[in-house]
Amino acid sequence: MKYKNKLNMLTPAQIIVIYYLLAVTVSTALISMPIALKPGVELSFMDALFTAASAVSVTGLTVVDISETFSTAGRFILMLVLQVGGIGIMTLGTFLWLIFGKKIGFKERRLIMTDQNMFTLSGLVNLLKQVLIIILTIEAVGALILGIYLLNYFDSPVDAFLQGLFMSVSATTNGGFDISGASLMPYAHDYFIQFVNIILIIFGAIGFPVLVEVKNFLMNKQQDRKFHFTLFTKLTSVTFLALVAFGTIIFIIFEYKYFLAGKSWHEGFFYALFQSVSTRSGGLSTMDVSQLTTPTLLVLCGLMFIGASPSSVGGGIRTTTFALNILFVYHFARGNRYIKLFKRELCEEDIIRSMVVTLIAFFITTSATVILTITEKFSLIEIIFEVCSAFGTTGLSMGITPELSGIGQCVIILLMFIGRVGIISFIFMLGGKEKREKFHYPKERIIIG
């Protein structure tokens, strides 16, 4: 009873964070089991914890070689953990509640609303049902297509379909893990493999509400009924695609005389496109990013810091946060007090939240960078890249992850965790319950700028 009373005093954000901490704990135990490891392989507690945190946060950074460490059973366990982290604890929890006939009450709906960054309690259960069906369908189709195609690379159909299944789950959840030992570098010139992975990464990172609305749009179109996309879907899709296009163009411009020198136009385009899409939170790579120039690496850091869309499998400050910041600066410079977009007016509260999220994220990543420059022996650009990759739950690395010190690993684990639960949940976890002011003082203006 005492434990139940303490639990009732927690905010939904605090409970969600506890759930993810439990997921990391259970995942650490699961991947440490002898059945999950190859014969003769030993996994230290710190390595298991880091791998579990990376899998739950669907980041992909790892201090061990997945292909050399985990058995077939271990790879299936990793896929299960990626599903929990990618689709979300509350989505899978809701699914289990429905299976066992548990009534989903007000408390459960508040948890779902917090986990999915929603504003209303209505329609949440139906939304999660659709999300689960859509994501599992995407993964299944992706696994089937990749498995059949990979028969060209593997002699055994079992190996081909296992590779295809893991690749599909990893790409869709934006997990960034691979069982080849070299990410997608062996397929650097196989554009079909790259294209399928690009589509899967986009499906996972663009946001679950967007996928649901697209599905509803297609169904209404078949029935000749009108359908209107929400402002969220419009803004998210435009921002997401704009960032992918921006990253691709900048990559080509900055690396034209360096990494892309001597390569054909289609090689250069796919190298640029895949790396740009992967910075949304994918983490898979068709090349060694340490070969890129510093300006390109800094652009990739910025893209990873922004991350994926809200209510998706990815981390970072999120695409809509970035979009609102840009819109606010643009309209403020033009003297506009209100921001209008797609025949809608944005709420001031959302603008404030976007600025708060960005400032706190900048403070967290800057602090992490300073700590790592003290504890680690790597260059500043390597550390910044690792920090942005962890916070954006991306998983791209310049190869320094296995050589991080114990303190460095703890910092990266914390960044991955914050990136997964989200800045808003992290803030509310620390702040506790919302308090209503009983009185106000007279307002006074402050000189700024």
Side-chain angles (χ1 to χ4, degrees):
M1 182 66 68
K2 186 178 179 181
Y3 169 78
K4 188 175 181 181
N5 290 335
K6 287 185 177 180
L7 190 63
N8 290 333
M9 293 177 63
L10 297 176
T11 64
Q14 290 171 334
I15 295 175
I16 290 295
V17 170
I18 291 174
Y19 281 172
Y20 277 103
L21 285 173
L22 288 174
V24 172
T25 303
V26 173
S27 300
T28 302
L30 288 175
I31 66 175
S32 298
M33 294 189 303
I35 192 176
L37 305 174
K38 286 189 173 181
V41 174
E42 294 184 2
L43 194 64
S44 68
F45 170 76
M46 195 63 194
D47 289 347
L49 176 62
F50 192 98
T51 305
S54 185
V56 171
S57 64
V58 286
T59 302
L61 291 173
T62 177
V63 291
V64 299
D65 188 329
I66 301 297
S67 62
E68 298 294 331
T69 304
F70 294 102
S71 63
T72 300
R75 294 171 181 180
F76 276 100
I77 291 174
L78 273 180
M79 282 190 280
L80 175 62
V81 177
L82 288 174
Q83 296 284 27
V84 172
I87 298 177
I89 286 179
M90 293 313 304
T91 302
L92 294 176
T94 302
F95 177 68
L96 293 176
W97 287 338
L98 292 173
I99 289 179
F100 291 106
K102 175 179 171 57
K103 184 179 179 181
I104 302 176
F106 178 72
K107 292 182 180 179
E108 290 80 8
R109 291 175 189 271
R110 286 184 65 199
L111 291 175
I112 296 170
M113 183 177 71
T114 302
D115 190 37
Q116 294 296 321
N117 293 321
M118 295 297 176
F119 303 103
T120 177
L121 294 171
S122 63
L124 287 176
V125 176
N126 183 52
L127 172 66
L128 295 195
K129 286 181 185 177
Q130 295 187 70
V131 167
L132 188 63
I133 293 172
I134 291 172
I135 293 298
L136 292 181
T137 301
I138 290 171
E139 289 178 347
V141 173
L144 182 62
I145 293 173
L146 290 170
I148 294 173
Y149 187 81
L150 287 171
L151 291 172
N152 298 319
Y153 288 89
F154 295 89
D155 295 329
S156 168
V158 174
D159 292 338
F161 280 96
L162 177 60
Q163 178 74 31
L165 176 62
F166 196 96
M167 190 182 293
S168 178
V169 172
S170 182
T172 306
T173 61
N174 284 202
F177 284 98
D178 70 278
I179 54 176
S180 67
S183 195
L184 292 186
M185 295 181 197
Y187 312 104
H189 298 94
D190 191 322
Y191 301 145
F192 182 80
I193 291 285
Q194 292 184 47
F195 179 75
V196 173
N197 276 274
I198 285 172
I199 297 300
L200 293 176
I201 291 172
I202 291 175
F203 280 154
I206 202 167
F208 300 144
V210 176
L211 297 179
V212 172
E213 284 195 33
V214 169
K215 187 211 78 169
N216 293 336
F217 167 74
L218 295 175
M219 291 180 63
N220 279 282
K221 192 174 182 180
Q222 290 177 350
Q223 299 172 5
D224 293 327
R225 289 159 54 185
K226 289 185 178 180
F227 182 86
H228 298 284
F229 288 104
T230 62
L231 177 60
F232 171 81
T233 293
K234 293 176 182 177
L235 182 60
T236 298
S237 302
V238 170
T239 307
F240 191 98
L241 296 177
L243 288 171
V244 170
F246 172 79
T248 303
I249 294 170
I250 292 297
F251 188 102
I252 293 173
I253 292 174
F254 285 1
E255 296 298 326
Y256 182 73
K257 293 183 179 180
Y258 300 97
F259 179 78
L260 298 181
K263 294 179 173 60
S264 63
W265 70 267
H266 47 83
E267 284 181 300
F269 173 75
F270 268 94
Y271 272 122
L273 176 62
F274 194 91
Q275 267 53 241
S276 179
V277 171
S278 195
T279 57
R280 295 277 55 75
S281 186
L284 296 169
S285 179
T286 57
M287 55 168 290
D288 182 359
V289 293
S290 63
Q291 298 178 29
L292 299 175
T293 59
T294 300
T296 305
L297 291 172
L298 289 174
V299 171
L300 294 182
C301 287
L303 292 173
M304 291 189 294
F305 178 79
I306 296 170
S309 300
S311 298
S312 72
V313 299
I317 63 171
R318 310 303 203 266
T319 54
T320 49
T321 303
F322 173 74
L324 291 186
N325 288 338
I326 296 297
L327 288 169
F328 172 74
V329 172
Y330 173 77
H331 282 272
F332 182 83
R334 292 174 61 88
N336 297 331
R337 184 176 178 182
Y338 302 103
I339 300 176
K340 298 179 177 65
L341 186 70
F342 295 115
K343 297 182 179 181
R344 292 291 187 273
E345 189 172 301
L346 300 181
C347 296
E348 290 185 9
E349 183 182 352
D350 292 337
I351 301 296
I352 295 173
R353 285 162 67 100
S354 69
M355 298 298 291
V356 170
V357 166
T358 304
L359 286 173
I360 293 179
F362 182 76
F363 174 77
I364 290 173
T365 52
T366 301
S367 300
T369 300
V370 171
I371 294 172
L372 292 181
T373 54
I374 297 173
T375 63
E376 313 302 319
K377 61 181 183 300
F378 308 110
S379 66
L380 181 59
I381 185 61
E382 289 176 322
I383 291 174
I384 293 175
F385 196 90
E386 194 83 2
V387 166
C388 291
S389 179
F391 175 73
T393 67
T394 306
L396 294 175
S397 176
M398 296 180 69
I400 71 173
T401 312
E403 300 178 38
L404 290 172
S405 65
I407 296 176
Q409 290 185 27
C410 289
V411 171
I412 295 300
I413 288 174
L414 182 60
L415 285 172
M416 292 189 295
F417 188 80
I418 293 174
R420 178 60 190 92
V421 301
I423 292 293
I424 294 294
S425 294
F426 180 70
I427 296 172
F428 289 161
M429 177 196 72
L430 300 176
K433 294 183 178 180
E434 181 181 355
K435 299 178 181 178
R436 294 184 178 274
E437 296 292 337
K438 296 181 179 179
F439 62 92
H440 295 275
Y441 289 111
K443 295 181 179 179
E444 186 172 338
R445 301 297 297 270
I446 299 293
I447 299 174
I448 296 176

